[in-house]
């Protein structure tokens, strides 16, 4: 069974595991723009030692290309763990990240989030050129 069969999709407005991708709908070729990926915009995902979002990875597939490019990997490593026990720590990373990128062709952004117990969840967003 291909790995892709293990990546689930849903609308981020209805499913708390799906990352929302925020960026302009259209950008100028070669001009940097910001992309924000985050969960919890519609429904909060737990952020505990036992249950949390471990990472979000972002890919871009330009129209006409066979392969997608890996454009970002964002790991969220603090979830309340401490020597006193689970959820006794004072540091929690939130599952939100932003980065800059540029493209010279339209295409599709794909974001994949990894919940430590509920697996992989994907969303996508079209990106046009101005
Ligand atoms: Fe989960």
């Amino acid at each position: 069974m291909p790995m892709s069969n293990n990546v689930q999709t849903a609308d981020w407005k209805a499913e708390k595991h799906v990352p929302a991708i925020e960026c302009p709908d259209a950008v100028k070729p070669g001009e940097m723009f910001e992309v924000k990926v985050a969960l919890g915009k519609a429904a909060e995902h737990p952020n505990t030692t036992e249950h949390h979002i471990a990472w979000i990875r972002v890919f871009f597939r330009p129209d006409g290309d066979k392969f997608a490019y890996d454009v970002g990997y964002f790991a969220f490593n603090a979830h309340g763990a401490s020597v006193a026990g689970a959820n006794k720590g004072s540091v929690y990373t939130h599952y939100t990240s932003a980065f800059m990128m540029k493209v010279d062709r339209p295409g599709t952004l794909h974001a994949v989030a990894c919940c430590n117990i509920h697996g992989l969840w994907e969303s996508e967003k079209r990106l046009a050129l101005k």
Side-chain angles (χ1 to χ4, degrees):
M1 175 184 359
M3 183 60 192
S4 58
N5 288 5
N6 297 304
V7 181
Q8 302 180 75
T9 60
D11 186 341
W12 63 263
K13 295 180 187 119
E15 168 53 56
K16 67 185 176 189
H17 287 95
V18 177
I21 303 170
E22 294 179 25
C23 69
D25 293 333
V27 298
K28 291 183 180 171
E31 190 170 287
M32 286 287 180
F33 61 95
E34 183 179 81
V35 180
K36 182 177 174 185
V37 288
L39 276 77
K41 290 186 62 66
E44 285 289 320
H45 184 278
N47 192 7
T48 65
T49 306
E50 300 90 349
H51 185 192
H52 55 262
I53 300 301
W55 50 260
I56 299 175
R57 193 152 201 158
V58 182
F59 300 87
F60 181 70
R61 183 173 177 174
D63 290 351
D65 268 21
K66 183 176 180 182
F67 302 109
Y69 292 87
D70 181 356
V71 293
Y73 172 65
F74 311 99
F76 311 113
N77 295 334
H79 305 283
S82 81
V83 293
N87 304 305
K88 304 274 193 221
S90 59
V91 180
Y92 291 80
T93 312
H94 195 269
Y95 31 74
T96 299
S97 194
F99 62 98
M100 303 291 289
M101 65 180 288
K102 64 180 181 179
V103 299
D104 62 5
R105 271 190 279 164
T108 304
L109 282 160
H110 298 267
V112 181
C114 178
C115 169
N116 69 319
I117 58 177
H118 295 120
L120 302 172
W121 295 79
E122 178 185 4
S123 65
E124 64 180 53
K125 177 177 169 56
R126 283 291 303 164
L127 187 65
L129 293 186
K130 290 183 181 174

